[in-house]
Short mmCIF file of all heavy atoms in Angstrom, two decimals:
data_model
loop_
_atom_site.label_atom_id
_atom_site.label_comp_id
_atom_site.label_asym_id
_atom_site.label_seq_id
_atom_site.Cartn_x
_atom_site.Cartn_y
_atom_site.Cartn_z
N SER A 74 -0.57 24.07 -39.47
CA SER A 74 0.12 24.21 -38.21
C SER A 74 1.48 23.57 -38.28
O SER A 74 1.73 22.66 -39.19
CB SER A 74 -0.70 23.60 -37.07
OG SER A 74 -0.79 22.20 -37.24
N ASN A 75 2.35 23.99 -37.44
CA ASN A 75 3.67 23.32 -37.33
C ASN A 75 4.07 23.25 -35.85
O ASN A 75 3.56 24.03 -35.02
CB ASN A 75 4.67 24.15 -38.13
CG ASN A 75 5.74 23.23 -38.72
OD1 ASN A 75 6.05 22.16 -38.24
ND2 ASN A 75 6.32 23.71 -39.84
N VAL A 76 5.05 22.42 -35.56
CA VAL A 76 5.49 22.15 -34.21
C VAL A 76 7.01 22.09 -34.16
O VAL A 76 7.61 21.45 -35.04
CB VAL A 76 4.93 20.75 -33.74
CG1 VAL A 76 5.35 20.49 -32.30
CG2 VAL A 76 3.36 20.77 -33.75
N TRP A 77 7.56 22.71 -33.16
CA TRP A 77 8.96 22.62 -32.86
C TRP A 77 9.09 22.24 -31.40
O TRP A 77 8.37 22.69 -30.55
CB TRP A 77 9.71 23.93 -33.14
CG TRP A 77 9.65 24.33 -34.55
CD1 TRP A 77 10.56 23.97 -35.52
CD2 TRP A 77 8.67 25.14 -35.18
NE1 TRP A 77 10.20 24.53 -36.73
CE2 TRP A 77 9.03 25.27 -36.55
CE3 TRP A 77 7.55 25.77 -34.71
CZ2 TRP A 77 8.26 25.97 -37.43
CZ3 TRP A 77 6.76 26.56 -35.65
CH2 TRP A 77 7.14 26.68 -36.95
N LEU A 78 10.14 21.45 -31.06
CA LEU A 78 10.27 21.05 -29.62
C LEU A 78 11.62 21.64 -29.15
O LEU A 78 12.62 21.72 -29.83
CB LEU A 78 10.37 19.54 -29.58
CG LEU A 78 9.13 18.75 -30.08
CD1 LEU A 78 9.34 17.27 -30.00
CD2 LEU A 78 7.86 19.27 -29.42
N ASP A 79 11.55 22.10 -27.89
CA ASP A 79 12.72 22.72 -27.23
C ASP A 79 12.77 22.18 -25.78
O ASP A 79 12.06 22.71 -24.94
CB ASP A 79 12.66 24.21 -27.26
CG ASP A 79 13.87 24.85 -26.60
OD1 ASP A 79 14.87 24.18 -26.36
OD2 ASP A 79 13.81 26.05 -26.33
N PHE A 80 13.55 21.08 -25.61
CA PHE A 80 13.67 20.47 -24.30
C PHE A 80 15.09 20.56 -23.81
O PHE A 80 16.06 20.62 -24.63
CB PHE A 80 13.25 19.02 -24.32
CG PHE A 80 11.73 18.89 -24.35
CD1 PHE A 80 11.03 19.08 -25.53
CD2 PHE A 80 11.00 18.59 -23.21
CE1 PHE A 80 9.63 18.97 -25.58
CE2 PHE A 80 9.63 18.51 -23.19
CZ PHE A 80 8.94 18.69 -24.41
N GLY A 81 15.29 20.63 -22.48
CA GLY A 81 16.60 20.86 -21.86
C GLY A 81 17.59 19.79 -22.17
O GLY A 81 18.80 20.03 -22.21
N SER A 82 17.18 18.51 -22.35
CA SER A 82 18.09 17.51 -22.66
C SER A 82 17.54 16.77 -23.91
O SER A 82 16.46 17.04 -24.36
CB SER A 82 18.22 16.54 -21.53
OG SER A 82 16.98 15.94 -21.22
N LEU A 83 18.40 15.92 -24.41
CA LEU A 83 17.95 15.19 -25.65
C LEU A 83 16.72 14.42 -25.37
O LEU A 83 16.64 13.74 -24.37
CB LEU A 83 19.07 14.25 -26.15
CG LEU A 83 20.33 14.96 -26.69
CD1 LEU A 83 21.34 13.90 -27.03
CD2 LEU A 83 19.98 15.76 -27.95
N LEU A 84 15.74 14.56 -26.27
CA LEU A 84 14.53 13.92 -26.09
C LEU A 84 14.55 12.62 -26.87
O LEU A 84 15.02 12.59 -28.01
CB LEU A 84 13.38 14.83 -26.62
CG LEU A 84 12.01 14.65 -26.06
CD1 LEU A 84 11.93 14.75 -24.60
CD2 LEU A 84 11.07 15.70 -26.65
N ASP A 85 14.04 11.54 -26.34
CA ASP A 85 13.90 10.26 -27.03
C ASP A 85 13.33 10.51 -28.40
O ASP A 85 12.36 11.23 -28.54
CB ASP A 85 13.04 9.37 -26.13
CG ASP A 85 12.72 8.03 -26.82
OD1 ASP A 85 13.55 7.17 -26.67
OD2 ASP A 85 11.66 7.97 -27.47
N LEU A 86 13.87 9.83 -29.40
CA LEU A 86 13.46 10.06 -30.81
C LEU A 86 11.99 9.65 -31.02
O LEU A 86 11.28 10.41 -31.74
CB LEU A 86 14.36 9.33 -31.83
CG LEU A 86 15.80 9.93 -31.92
CD1 LEU A 86 16.61 9.08 -32.88
CD2 LEU A 86 15.72 11.35 -32.39
N GLU A 87 11.57 8.59 -30.45
CA GLU A 87 10.18 8.17 -30.63
C GLU A 87 9.28 9.18 -29.93
O GLU A 87 8.17 9.45 -30.43
CB GLU A 87 9.97 6.76 -30.09
CG GLU A 87 8.55 6.26 -30.23
CD GLU A 87 8.01 6.20 -31.65
OE1 GLU A 87 8.83 6.28 -32.64
OE2 GLU A 87 6.79 6.06 -31.83
#
Side-chain angles (χ1 to χ4, degrees):
S74 66
N75 213 335
V76 179
W77 298 271
L78 303 178
D79 181 13
F80 283 80
S82 61
L83 290 175
L84 204 55
D85 176 84
L86 290 176
E87 180 61 14

